[in-house]
Amino acid sequence: MRSRVTLVLAVVAVLLGGGLLVPAAYARLAGDDAASGGSVAAPAPTPPPPPTLAAGPVSVNFKGEFFSWALMDRETGEISGAKNMASTSSTESMIKAWFAADYLRRLGDKPVPAERKKQISAAIRNSDDDAANALYNAVGRAETINRMTSTCELTDTKPGNVPGYVGWWSFTRMSPRDAVRLGDCIGDGTAAGPKWTNYLLDEMSKVKGTTAAKDQKARSGGGRWGIIDGLPQSILSQGPVSIKNGWTPLNYDGNWHVNCLAVTDKWSLAVMLRYPQKSGLDYGAQTCASVASQLVTPQPGAALKVPQQPVGKL
């Protein structure tokens, strides 16, 4: 009797032990299968970085005397652009941003007098020539051009030398390569100094007016066009874009001289043009916008590339 009880207990023990061993063994097998990739879901694709402007090919059917552009990656300092990006053209009103910056940096920690504040705002937002002349006189006229060249480490910029217009600030010669350096110089605080840089960039983000005749006056004009019109909402929504354009139809050569400058915390872009006056201001504005739109990376509507996952063993 005792032997039978012992035998029954032994059988029960084996059955119970086997029941416990089977799930453990199954779990090990399942774990081995998961490790081989057979039952793991593919990870979600990493979202791409936000759109920005980056070096790339630009194709414009431009009809005129001069077309060039340059783009600076402000994180690396690298400048890319047209083959002639070191060639120069007249700055026109684009240089007004420097007059404001030079005045503010030299002011230091002192408050801006109310009248000067009005002049800075008018020169930047409305591209007012009289306000710009007042600032130009306040910062030493030709001396400020020399300071701009040395302070912002410009290599191609020269005083204007057009016969009959020698000494005019609007005829200062600058290349697109130097223009993006100027934009970076304003953006990083070198031009206006630590106290006033954000103030100046904010003023440049509030430029007013269009290319329409109603916005263009003899001594001022609407300047919110060009590069900013070529930027998608996905870039505009990232933060303010600070701009300063320059534009004049000049009698001495029969051309529009149009320049577009824009700067953000990531990049600085300049487009500089000379073309027949009969083409109108809109032609230059649209060319600036076209360059900007072609440099958007990734291009709007570009398909997201999802990396392929390795096929696991089943």
Side-chain angles (χ1 to χ4, degrees):
M1 182 67 179
R2 186 179 300 169
S3 60
R4 289 182 181 179
V5 172
T6 303
L7 179 60
V8 169
L9 291 175
V11 171
V12 171
V14 170
L15 291 175
L16 289 174
L20 293 172
L21 287 171
V22 170
Y26 179 80
R28 285 197 300 271
L29 290 172
D32 291 343
D33 189 52
S36 71
S39 62
V40 177
T46 302
T52 187
L53 298 191
V58 168
S59 177
V60 175
N61 184 22
F62 180 76
K63 296 179 180 179
E65 181 180 288
F66 180 78
F67 165 74
S68 188
W69 64 274
L71 173 70
M72 175 187 283
D73 181 332
R74 294 194 57 218
E75 295 181 356
T76 65
E78 184 177 352
I79 299 176
S80 58
K83 292 181 179 179
N84 64 340
M85 66 178 176
S87 299
T88 64
S89 191
S90 61
T91 60
E92 306 308 324
S93 293
M94 182 173 67
I95 202 173
K96 292 173 182 175
W98 166 257
F99 299 157
D102 197 24
Y103 175 82
L104 292 167
R105 186 190 69 261
R106 290 156 61 83
L107 188 67
D109 291 332
K110 293 180 289 185
V112 182
E115 186 62 24
R116 289 293 186 215
K117 205 166 205 177
K118 289 180 181 178
Q119 291 168 352
I120 290 171
S121 186
I124 299 299
R125 298 191 192 191
N126 304 317
S127 205
D128 187 281
D129 288 339
D130 295 328
N133 281 332
L135 292 171
Y136 180 61
N137 291 329
V139 291
R141 298 178 64 81
E143 294 176 5
T144 192
I145 306 300
N146 295 331
R147 277 196 301 273
M148 176 179 67
T149 301
S150 60
T151 301
C152 298
E153 299 182 358
L154 310 184
T155 59
D156 311 316
T157 300
K158 302 176 182 64
N161 59 359
V162 178
Y165 301 93
V166 175
W168 285 38
W169 52 258
S170 58
F171 290 111
T172 302
R173 307 289 297 185
M174 185 179 288
S175 67
R177 180 171 66 176
D178 271 359
V180 298
R181 289 168 174 157
L182 175 60
D184 180 59
C185 188
I186 293 172
D188 70 9
T190 301
K195 182 176 177 62
W196 299 110
T197 293
N198 288 339
Y199 164 70
L200 179 57
L201 290 171
D202 183 62
E203 286 294 316
M204 292 172 67
S205 74
K206 295 176 178 175
V207 171
K208 302 176 181 178
T210 69
T211 59
K214 66 180 180 62
D215 290 339
Q216 300 298 320
K217 313 298 181 183
R219 304 289 296 169
S220 63
R224 193 172 187 81
W225 42 262
I227 291 171
I228 199 163
D229 292 331
L231 302 177
Q233 186 59 35
S234 57
I235 288 182
L236 295 175
S237 63
Q238 294 177 32
V241 178
S242 301
I243 66 173
K244 186 66 196 84
N245 296 332
W247 64 103
T248 309
L250 294 175
N251 293 327
Y252 80 87
D253 67 355
N255 284 324
W256 270 102
H257 289 222
V258 174
N259 309 306
C260 301
L261 174 64
V263 60
T264 71
D265 58 353
K266 295 180 180 178
W267 49 262
S268 176
L269 174 64
V271 184
M272 303 183 72
L273 316 165
R274 294 194 303 271
Y275 57 87
Q277 290 184 26
K278 64 181 181 180
S279 298
L281 178 56
D282 280 335
Y283 182 73
Q286 291 163 7
T287 301
C288 290
S290 177
V291 172
S293 65
Q294 293 180 61
L295 294 172
V296 174
T297 304
Q299 283 288 301
L304 174 64
K305 294 183 178 179
V306 180
Q308 296 297 314
Q309 300 297 324
V311 178
K313 298 177 182 179
L314 298 179

